[in-house]
Structures are given as C-alpha cells and as structure tokens.
Amino acid sequence: MYTIRMMNCAFFAHHGVFEEEEKLGQRFYVDAVLTVDPGDSLENDDIDKTVHYGIVFSMIEKIITGKRRYLIEALALDVAKALCAAFPQIQKADITVRKPNAPVAGVLDYVEVTVGWPHI
C-alpha cells in the first residue's frame, strides 16, 4: 500500500444551508488522503495501473463546484465515493472539506469535516 495526499485544493462553490451561501458562494478547501493498492504498478512504473492525481483533482473540482449540498459532510462523502468508484486501486479515501466562512456566531479560522469511504 501507499498513500497519496492532495492537500488544500481550493475551489469556489455555493454550498450551505442559508440562501446567502448559495447566492454569494465562497472558497472551499479539500484534502484527499488516498490509500492505494499498487498492484504491480510501482514495480513496472506503469501510470495506467495507478491513481492519476491530475484526474483525481479534476474529479474533486467537478463535484465541489457542481450541485449545491447543504452539508459539507455530504459533499465529502460524494467525493470519496466517486474517487473509489473511478479507481478500484483506492482502498480508502479520507476526504476533508474546509469551510472558512462558516456562518457561526463567533470567530474561527474554519470548520472542517473528514469523511472516510468505505466505512471500516
């Protein structure tokens, strides 16, 4: 096994419960930590049999900037499921979504959630 970490991927999107969040949008940050079974791809230096992180980034971007979700937890789960479906080599996807401008009555740097798939 090996691990791919894609950290702090930034996207502008329109997620959240409040209408202002949908209307105005904001930046979201995503970390993807992927546990990968390499098979023989590392021994053979074969990109076709491993996880292409350029494609992973594009998939994350499409989901994050796509349809609105009320919960960033649901957003993280959708990303994790999509990556595992596209790349059977991924044994586990831990996806973290950070929302720096969460509508709370106080000062904080961000709210983040991490969802793992499959659930073990």
Side-chain angles (χ1 to χ4, degrees):
M1 297 289 179
Y2 68 98
T3 303
I4 297 173
R5 287 184 179 83
M6 299 179 68
M7 310 303 286
N8 227 27
C9 306
F11 309 100
F12 191 85
H14 300 266
H15 304 290
V17 174
F18 298 110
E19 290 307 312
E20 294 83 9
E21 293 177 296
E22 181 181 24
K23 186 185 297 183
L24 299 174
Q26 66 174 293
R27 195 172 301 267
F28 291 82
Y29 297 91
V30 178
D31 300 338
V33 179
L34 310 174
T35 303
V36 180
D37 180 348
D40 63 358
S41 65
L42 303 182
E43 300 271 335
N44 297 321
D45 196 26
D46 186 355
I47 193 169
D48 292 329
K49 291 185 180 177
T50 191
V51 176
H52 189 301
Y53 48 82
I55 294 171
V56 167
F57 184 90
S58 295
M59 290 178 66
I60 295 170
E61 179 178 38
K62 183 176 181 183
I63 294 166
I64 299 296
T65 61
K67 79 172 187 176
R68 175 187 181 193
R69 276 97 169 167
Y70 294 118
L71 302 174
I72 59 175
E73 296 90 324
L75 190 58
L77 180 61
D78 287 349
V79 170
K81 285 182 169 182
L83 295 178
C84 288
F87 294 98
Q89 308 91 316
I90 297 175
Q91 300 299 299
K92 183 155 192 236
D94 291 306
I95 306 299
T96 300
V97 176
R98 271 184 299 291
K99 185 177 187 176
N101 297 311
V104 298
V107 178
L108 52 75
D109 286 340
Y110 52 83
V111 172
E112 78 176 15
V113 299
T114 301
V115 173
W117 184 261
H119 304 299
I120 296 177

